[in-house]
């Protein structure tokens, strides 16, 4: 392919290298460094004038530093006369902060809502995902490629094109190849928000689904869980878009086993695995926890034999190729690229 440049940020260079290999290209030369006061400095080491530029940077690791690095790289390419700059962000940062929190209890000095049974207060939480979208647009990005956004409405935060890819085709392939009795399995959503994702997979596999309703005390802390569906003597496969401290999926696995499930698998698009996540995984009753490499997993795989990784580099590479050639990307919604 001509007139195309692929650059990698520092968050996930291994994934960037795989994407470039799929495309038969070399990664562009870029030097990132920090001054003594921790300011980020980026130097693009080759001409991008008139080029179609793709910058791969995932929202992981030192998220704030990596986000700032991405913004600076986009701006550097734009003011160097690149014809188009696309940010390829496998795991979108701040995606969980996509709306104001629901009103809560406690503060009766604020207002009382109509038809409410108790005093409540209005949330003053930020919508940080919208702020990130604004920053990407202002920095000069012309196009965004990402995967399995935590909330699909984030696409509407942008005034530029956003291609939200799905890991579903790779998930279906993994289930058929690695779960021997998948035809008798049941697909489980660990929360109500993932119901649409789970029902799409159950339709493709022609199996049943269940739902776990969770009530949180606060962020990353579950109060109680209620299982809706029959998992007795079945293989249960938990499906979710991401796992951070893994409190939800580990509690869900315990709930499924106590309800009579024979085996429990978990398949996640983004394995963040922060804090006590690895310890919880090792002590949980999973047969396997499957994640994509949207976030680096080398260290986590060494710490837990239960973690298995699906490579998504071919999805990103094919999305880049199709975008560059002006072809439709929707083919990737239902197919694993060769």
């Amino acid at each position: 392919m001509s007139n195309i440049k692929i650059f990698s940020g520092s968050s996930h260079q291994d994934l960037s290298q795989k994407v470039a290999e799929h495309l038969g290209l070399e990664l562009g030369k870029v030097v990132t460094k920090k001054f003594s006061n921790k300011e980020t400095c980026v130097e693009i080491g080759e001409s991008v004038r008139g080029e179609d530029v793709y910058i791969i940077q995932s929202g992981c690791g030192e998220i704030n530093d990596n986000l700032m690095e991405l913004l600076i790289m986009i701006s550097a390419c734009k003011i160097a006369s690149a014809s188009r700059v696309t940010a390829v962000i496998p795991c979108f940062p701040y995606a969980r902060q996509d709306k104001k929190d629901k009103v809560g209890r406690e503060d009766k000095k604020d207002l009382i809502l109509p038809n409410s049974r108790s005093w409540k207060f209005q949330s003053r939480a930020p919508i940080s995902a919208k702020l990130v979208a604004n920053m990407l647009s202002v920095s000069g990005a012309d196009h965004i490629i990402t995967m399995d956004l935590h909330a699909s409405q984030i696409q509407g935060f942008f005034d530029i094109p956003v291609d939200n890819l799905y890991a579903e085709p790779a998930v279906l392939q993994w289930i058929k190849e690695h779960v021997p009795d998948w035809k008798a399995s049941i697909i489980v959503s660990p929360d109500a928000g993932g119901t649409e994702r789970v029902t799409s997979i159950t339709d493709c596999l022609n199996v049943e689904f269940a739902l776990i309703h969770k009530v949180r005390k606060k962020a990353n802390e579950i109060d109680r869980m209620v299982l809706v569906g029959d998992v007795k003597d079945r293989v249960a496969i938990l499906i979710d878009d991401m796992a951070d401290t893994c409190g939800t999926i580990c509690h869900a696995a315990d709930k499924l086993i106590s309800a009579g499930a024979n085996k429990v698998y978990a398949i996640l698009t983004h394995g963040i695995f922060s804090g006590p996540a690895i310890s919880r995984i090792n002590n949980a009753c999973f047969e396997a926890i499957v994640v994509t490499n949207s976030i680096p997993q080398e260290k986590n795989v060494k710490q837990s034999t239960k973690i298995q990784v699906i490579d998504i580099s071919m999805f990103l590479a094919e999305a880049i190729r199709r975008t560059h050639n002006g072809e439709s990307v929707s083919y990737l919604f239902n197919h694993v690229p060769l």
Side-chain angles (χ1 to χ4, degrees):
M1 293 187 291
S2 59
N3 301 110
I4 181 173
K5 298 284 186 181
I6 309 290
F7 292 99
S8 174
S10 57
S11 67
H12 201 345
Q13 293 184 338
D14 180 60
L15 177 63
S16 301
Q17 185 61 50
K18 289 179 178 177
V19 170
E21 289 174 358
H22 282 297
L23 292 170
L25 301 171
E26 295 287 336
L27 287 175
K29 297 176 182 177
V30 58
V31 177
T32 59
K33 57 186 177 182
K34 282 186 168 52
F35 295 124
S36 59
N37 65 349
K38 303 302 181 182
E39 285 184 3
T40 298
C41 177
V42 176
E43 296 176 5
I44 305 299
E46 55 190 85
S47 174
V48 295
R49 183 177 295 274
E51 300 281 353
D52 189 11
V53 174
Y54 295 83
I55 302 172
I56 303 173
Q57 180 84 307
S58 198
C60 58
E62 298 292 335
I63 292 179
N64 295 328
D65 286 348
N66 290 335
L67 175 58
M68 194 67 204
E69 181 182 284
L70 172 62
L71 297 173
I72 294 172
M73 290 179 72
I74 293 170
S75 179
C77 291
K78 201 66 179 177
I79 62 177
S81 301
S83 64
R84 179 174 62 179
V85 179
T86 298
V88 182
I89 313 173
C91 181
F92 194 86
Y94 290 89
R96 287 176 287 181
Q97 299 183 43
D98 61 299
K99 60 182 179 296
K100 282 182 175 288
D101 295 332
K102 291 181 180 179
V103 291
R105 300 174 185 273
E106 304 291 311
D107 188 354
K108 61 183 181 181
K109 290 183 179 180
D110 275 316
L111 75 160
I112 185 169
L113 299 180
N115 302 320
S116 63
R117 297 182 180 179
S118 60
W119 292 95
K120 302 192 176 186
F121 67 93
Q122 286 186 318
S123 166
R124 287 167 283 274
I127 305 177
S128 302
K130 169 63 174 172
L131 175 61
V132 172
N134 289 342
M135 286 168 25
L136 288 166
S137 298
V138 170
S139 67
D142 300 296
H143 180 212
I144 305 293
I145 297 175
T146 187
M147 175 166 276
D148 273 346
L149 284 170
H150 184 66
S152 58
Q153 68 262 25
I154 292 175
Q155 295 173 84
F157 293 168
F158 291 89
D159 292 323
I160 57 176
V162 178
D163 284 318
N164 181 30
L165 306 178
Y166 300 98
E168 181 181 304
V171 169
L172 292 170
Q173 185 180 69
W174 190 94
I175 291 174
K176 292 176 180 179
E177 291 179 356
H178 295 88
V179 181
D181 43 358
W182 64 267
K183 291 183 179 180
S185 65
I186 184 167
I187 311 297
V188 184
S189 174
D191 56 36
T195 304
E196 183 178 351
R197 183 182 304 107
V198 165
T199 52
S200 176
I201 291 176
T202 57
D203 289 344
C204 293
L205 295 176
N206 195 27
V207 297
E208 296 181 13
F209 78 94
L211 168 68
I212 293 177
H213 174 63
K214 63 185 179 184
V215 179
R216 290 185 184 274
K217 287 182 179 178
K218 56 183 179 180
N220 292 331
E221 185 176 338
I222 305 300
D223 184 15
R224 64 182 185 275
M225 287 185 157
V226 179
L227 174 63
V228 181
D230 182 15
V231 299
K232 186 174 177 59
D233 299 326
R234 312 281 287 277
V235 173
I237 304 175
L238 282 161
I239 303 288
D240 208 354
D241 67 313
M242 66 171 61
D244 188 353
T245 59
C246 291
T248 297
I249 61 168
C250 288
H251 278 96
D254 291 339
K255 187 74 175 178
L256 293 169
I257 290 295
S258 65
N262 291 333
K263 297 178 182 178
V264 178
Y265 294 85
I267 304 179
L268 317 160
T269 303
H270 310 297
I272 301 171
F273 299 153
S274 65
I278 299 299
S279 174
R280 287 174 173 174
I281 289 171
N282 288 332
N283 295 326
C285 51
F286 292 107
E287 291 292 313
I289 288 190
V290 183
V291 296
T292 73
N293 59 343
S294 64
I295 295 173
Q297 298 295 338
E298 292 81 5
K299 181 180 177 181
N300 296 328
V301 169
K302 292 177 181 178
Q303 294 178 341
S304 177
T305 58
K306 295 181 181 179
I307 297 176
Q308 300 182 30
V309 181
I310 297 173
D311 183 18
I312 59 164
S313 61
M314 72 288 288
F315 282 90
L316 300 177
E318 183 64 11
I320 290 172
R321 188 193 68 79
R322 286 172 174 267
T323 300
H324 178 68
N325 293 333
E327 301 174 17
S328 173
V329 176
S330 60
Y331 172 85
L332 298 175
F333 296 167
N334 301 301
H335 300 86
V336 177
L338 299 177

